[in-house]
Structure formats: C-alpha cells, structure tokens
Amino acid sequence: MDSQHCRVNGDSFQESSYIEDSPNKNGVISLIFSLKEEVGALAKVLRTFEEKGINLTHIESRPSRLNKDEYEFFINLEGKNVPALDKIIKSLRSDIGATVHELSRTKKKDTVPWFPRSIQELDRFANQILSYGAELDADHPGFKDPVYRARRKEFADIAYNYRHGQPIPRVTYTEEEKKTWGTVFRELKTLYPTHACYEHNHVFPLLEKYCGYREDNIPQLEDISNFLQSCTGFRLRPVAGLLSSRDFLAGLAFRVFHSTQYIRHASKPMYTPEPDICHELLGHVPLFADPSFAQFSQEIGLASLGAPDDFIEKLATVYWFTVEFGLCKEGDALKAYGAGLLSSFGELQYCLSSKPEIQPLVLEKTSLQKYPVTEFQPVYYVAESFKDAKDKLRKFAETIPRPFSVRYNPYTQRIEVLDNAKQLKNLADTINSEIGILCNALQKIR
Ligand SMILES: [Fe+2]
C-alpha cells in the first residue's frame, strides 16, 4: 500500500507529544510525562504550567514501569491554552530533563489512513497510479509496438490531466481500434442472453440506444458517464493506469468509477492482461446502471474509507469475487454479473460450466480467498441478490476497526464522518424528513 496513505505509527512518534483529546471532548487535553524521583521535581513542572497560565484540572501519578527511579504523571489541562503547550513540552525536555512519552492529537488522528472527503479530492489520485499507461510489461501483446505505446501515452495523458467537473475528452478511435472493439462486441453479445444476469441484459439495449454501443463504434466515456448519472448517480472518470486498491475503492464511495479509455492490442482481440475499454464498457458499465448494484458497489467504497490495510485487502478481495467475478442466482439458474466474466468470451462460458467450484457468498470466507489474476478462476462465489450482498457487506463493514461511521451526502458530494452529536443530529433530521415524505406517500396510495 502506498506510504502516503499509511501514516501509522511513523517515525515522527518521538518528535510528537503525548497529548490526546479527552474522550468527553469538552476541551480538556491529557498529557503524560515522567520525571526523576527528586524532591521538588513535580513542583517545578507545575510552576511551568502556572507561569503559562494553563489550568490543570486533574493529576495522577504512578511509579514508572520503564525506569525504576522515575514517576509518571498523567494530567488533564484546559484545552483553550493549547498554543502554550509546545513551549512547555520543550521546556520539560530541555530545562527539567523530563522523559516525555508522547503521542500528539494529530498523531491520534493520523492513525486513520487519509481518505478523500469531497469528490474533488479524487483528483489527487490522478498521479498516484501504480503503472503509467505507456509502460507495458515485456509479455504485453503491445510491448514491441511503438505505435501502440505512443497511443497508450496519449490516453494516459488525458487521464493524467483530467480534473473533476470537466467533460471527459472525446477520443477519435482508429479503424484498427474499432475493428478490435467490433470483434469483442460481436462475440460477447452472442453469449449475453444465456450467460449474463437479468440486470445486464436489461440495461444493454439502453446503452445501444443512448450511448452508441455498436459493433462499429467505440462509445465515449463522457456519454456513458452522463447516462449512468441519470440512472444511479454513478459517473466515470478516466484513469491512466492501475490505482492502489485503497484509492480505487475510495472512488466507489463517491459513486465514481475509474475507467480506462484505451483498447487492447489488435494482435489479440480476445485477450488483455489488464483492464481496457472493452472490459469497462461491456463488463462494468451495464451493472452500474442498476440501482441495487450501484448501492452495493458504493457500500464497498464506503467501508474502505479509513480502513486499516488488512481490511483494504479483504475488501479488494470481496470486490474481486463480486464486482469482477461474481455469479448470482436467477431462479434455479446461475448467471454472471462480474465484469471480468462479462468481458471475457472464454471465462463467461467456463464460469457456468461444471468445471469451477461454486461457493455461496460468505464475506468472512470470501474476503480471505486467494485467487489467480492471469488465468480463469478456480472458484466463484454466488450472491443470492445484490440486496443480499449489500446487507452482508454492511455487516462485514461493522467489523472494520475504525472509530467512526461514514455516510455520503449526494447534495454536497462529500463524505460525512459520523463521529459527533451534530453530524448525528443532521442525519436524524434528514431521515426524519424522508420518513415524512414516505408517510405522506403511503397515505395517498391507500
Ligand atoms: Fe474491472
């Protein structure tokens, strides 16, 4: 995981101060320090606080467990005098020789990995990709093709320069690119009626009608993004390469899907070692137009915000076995809803054959499942429904150790951190208002 998002227990510990907010949040600050057991040592420290006009409201002492000849003191002081604290801590160390074991309030907050609070902050991810579009691996079909690599750089630049709120630049695809798309589109479309889930088949004709989904046309991200917004509020934004799991999942919390815009190499139209526009548009996009699936996807994103690294890995695995390679029940039959399946002619047939192992979606288990990334999956997980998957995800999210809950406010396009009474009251007011509308509507229906 990228280090800038993981400022947990960093080296700055020694430099910081052990000042933490009191749990009652009434402006009281707590500080722990230790002193050598000498007559008058504590009095000297207390005088320092007095000189700075800081009022101590509580003090406790105990023998130090680290140094036998020291005592530790725990004090509460009034938070309004914070500016003078740095000086006092400095003085405790230099003038009095106190050992100050400290954690700062900032430190405490930093133990939660950074996450975007507003949709504009997703712009920060643009230059945090793990691989840049033109830098292909040696086994990539386009590795030795300078024209393809130059083309990939063009797409990477579009994504790199894109900022939230701008229209996604339209691309004039070459005849060769359109031919590749056409091959994939034609082949996959023959399988959808029998292999894809109801939601995919329901939305696909709408994409043909409104977004230019045709065998001889590669649709534009901007048109699709506008269509999705009108259906579920989901939107696309171009991405230059692979994002970290943390960044990618955070986008989903805002109903933003990071989408590639380039297409696979023409030499192998039925194979791509990475996501490309065929995968995004044929696999992902139809499902993001479904309200229930959109909500499930957003739940994964919301669960990821501020989650520890090990939970990000678990959520990324859940994403893998649902959004990418999920199967769902339709009556007695199984259908595919995962984008990795719906964009792969070979795996779409294989996943519904008798060859792979089929397991029910149980997130505690699914989140730990190991998986290959370059071959067909040996095991698939089956969701009862998107609503069921969403309910399970919510329960799973409750096990994530983070000291707050989050909620997305679609009006402000911001994440609200529900860790104080004011936020909870705002939420209660919103729910109250919605319930009023519901009651009113129910009365009219009767
Ligand atoms: Fe994908």
Side-chain angles (χ1 to χ4, degrees):
M1 204 54 61
D2 47 340
S3 58
Q4 61 204 305
H5 290 153
C6 305
R7 292 164 290 173
V8 184
N9 300 326
D11 291 334
S12 61
F13 179 85
Q14 291 302 323
E15 298 300 316
S16 59
S17 310
Y18 192 179
I19 310 168
E20 61 178 348
D21 289 329
S22 173
N24 58 15
K25 308 259 182 200
N26 61 358
V28 174
I29 289 175
S30 303
L31 174 69
I32 290 177
F33 59 91
S34 59
L35 297 172
K36 285 209 168 57
E37 197 178 4
E38 292 171 354
V39 176
L42 178 61
K44 206 170 171 184
V45 171
L46 296 181
R47 212 173 302 127
T48 315
F49 284 100
E50 192 183 348
E51 284 165 3
K52 299 286 181 194
I54 292 178
N55 190 28
L56 306 185
T57 56
H58 182 88
I59 183 162
E60 285 177 33
S61 67
R62 68 178 182 197
S64 170
R65 287 175 201 161
L66 296 174
N67 296 307
K68 277 187 203 160
D69 60 345
E70 286 189 357
Y71 259 73
E72 285 179 353
F73 296 92
F74 171 85
I75 59 172
N76 282 343
L77 45 95
E78 283 179 358
K80 61 188 176 188
N81 295 318
V82 170
L85 263 180
D86 282 348
K87 285 182 184 168
I88 292 183
I89 289 164
K90 224 174 185 178
S91 150
L92 278 173
R93 283 182 172 143
S94 58
D95 302 341
I96 301 173
T99 309
V100 189
H101 301 287
E102 302 174 3
L103 289 172
S104 70
R105 282 170 299 153
T106 316
K107 184 73 209 167
K108 190 182 172 196
K109 282 174 187 161
D110 276 3
T111 56
V112 175
W114 179 88
F115 59 86
R117 295 291 190 92
S118 72
I119 200 165
Q120 288 82 3
E121 286 183 295
L122 296 180
D123 287 345
R124 291 193 193 187
F125 299 162
N127 58 2
Q128 289 179 185
I129 52 168
L130 304 179
S131 63
Y132 197 59
E135 292 163 13
L136 307 178
D137 287 341
D139 57 352
H140 191 287
F143 181 70
K144 290 181 181 165
D145 181 345
V147 177
Y148 183 76
R149 295 178 72 130
R151 183 71 166 148
R152 288 288 295 263
K153 174 129 189 354
E154 285 175 37
F155 284 106
D157 286 342
I158 290 175
Y160 187 76
N161 294 311
Y162 179 80
R163 294 294 175 267
H164 172 73
Q166 296 172 347
I168 303 171
R170 306 183 89 82
V171 171
T172 305
Y173 289 98
T174 65
E175 286 307 313
E176 186 181 65
E177 287 169 337
K178 283 194 265 187
K179 200 171 155 224
T180 303
W181 162 268
T183 304
V184 180
F185 184 90
R186 189 175 56 246
E187 296 291 330
L188 282 168
K189 219 183 143 185
T190 62
L191 290 179
Y192 288 155
T194 47
H195 290 63
C197 65
Y198 165 81
E199 290 78 1
H200 190 277
N201 283 322
H202 177 68
V203 171
F204 207 83
L206 300 174
L207 292 166
E208 291 178 307
K209 190 172 178 186
Y210 297 111
C211 297
Y213 272 53
R214 289 198 316 270
E215 192 178 322
D216 62 351
N217 179 61
I218 303 179
Q220 297 291 330
L221 295 190
E222 175 66 8
D223 296 340
I224 297 164
S225 189
N226 290 334
F227 172 79
L228 288 179
Q229 282 177 68
S230 70
C231 295
T232 59
F234 247 93
R235 70 185 75 209
L236 305 181
R237 65 172 291 158
V239 66
L242 278 180
L243 291 173
S244 71
S245 297
R246 186 182 288 284
D247 290 354
F248 181 81
L249 295 177
L252 296 177
F254 296 83
R255 297 210 173 197
V256 170
F257 180 71
H258 286 85
S259 170
T260 55
Q261 204 170 12
Y262 57 80
I263 196 161
R264 61 196 67 185
H265 194 257
S267 64
K268 287 190 173 178
M270 301 309 280
Y271 168 77
T272 174
E274 62 198 332
D276 74 334
I277 197 159
C278 299
H279 169 74
E280 321 286 25
L281 270 48
L282 299 171
H284 283 293
V285 163
L287 271 298
F288 284 128
D290 177 75
S292 201
F293 182 83
Q295 211 173 346
F296 167 70
S297 304
Q298 186 179 26
E299 288 291 336
I300 299 183
L302 288 168
S304 78
L305 300 178
D309 287 352
D310 53 333
F311 272 87
I312 292 293
E313 202 180 321
K314 288 179 185 175
L315 288 168
T317 304
V318 168
Y319 177 89
W320 181 267
F321 284 109
T322 54
V323 179
E324 290 294 350
F325 290 97
L327 298 179
C328 60
K329 280 188 183 169
E330 265 179 38
D332 293 333
L334 291 182
K335 300 284 179 175
Y337 72 88
L341 302 172
L342 294 164
S343 61
S344 165
F345 189 75
E347 192 161 0
L348 187 51
Q349 294 172 88
Y350 160 85
C351 73
L352 298 181
S353 71
S354 57
K355 289 174 192 159
E357 184 185 337
I358 305 294
Q359 293 278 344
L361 187 68
V362 179
L363 297 192
E364 291 72 16
K365 186 176 167 220
T366 308
S367 64
L368 299 173
Q369 177 75 48
K370 299 285 176 231
Y371 54 86
V373 292
T374 52
E375 50 198 76
F376 291 175
Q377 300 300 306
V379 55
Y380 297 99
Y381 286 89
V382 180
E384 293 290 322
S385 65
F386 296 143
K387 186 186 172 303
D388 182 59
K390 185 196 73 189
D391 292 343
K392 284 176 174 162
L393 206 278
R394 279 212 177 142
K395 282 209 176 69
F396 184 71
E398 286 170 12
T399 66
I400 296 174
R402 56 178 182 183
F404 53 83
S405 295
V406 291
R407 165 178 183 267
Y408 182 60
N409 184 330
Y411 304 116
T412 59
Q413 299 184 323
R414 291 184 67 84
I415 296 293
E416 291 176 356
V417 175
L418 305 171
D419 66 348
N420 61 68
K422 188 169 169 246
Q423 288 286 9
L424 296 180
K425 187 181 174 303
N426 286 345
L427 177 57
D429 287 346
T430 306
I431 294 169
N432 196 22
S433 163
E434 296 285 321
I435 287 178
I437 295 169
L438 176 64
C439 293
N440 193 274
L442 284 171
Q443 277 174 357
K444 287 183 179 169
I445 284 174
R446 268 184 221 150

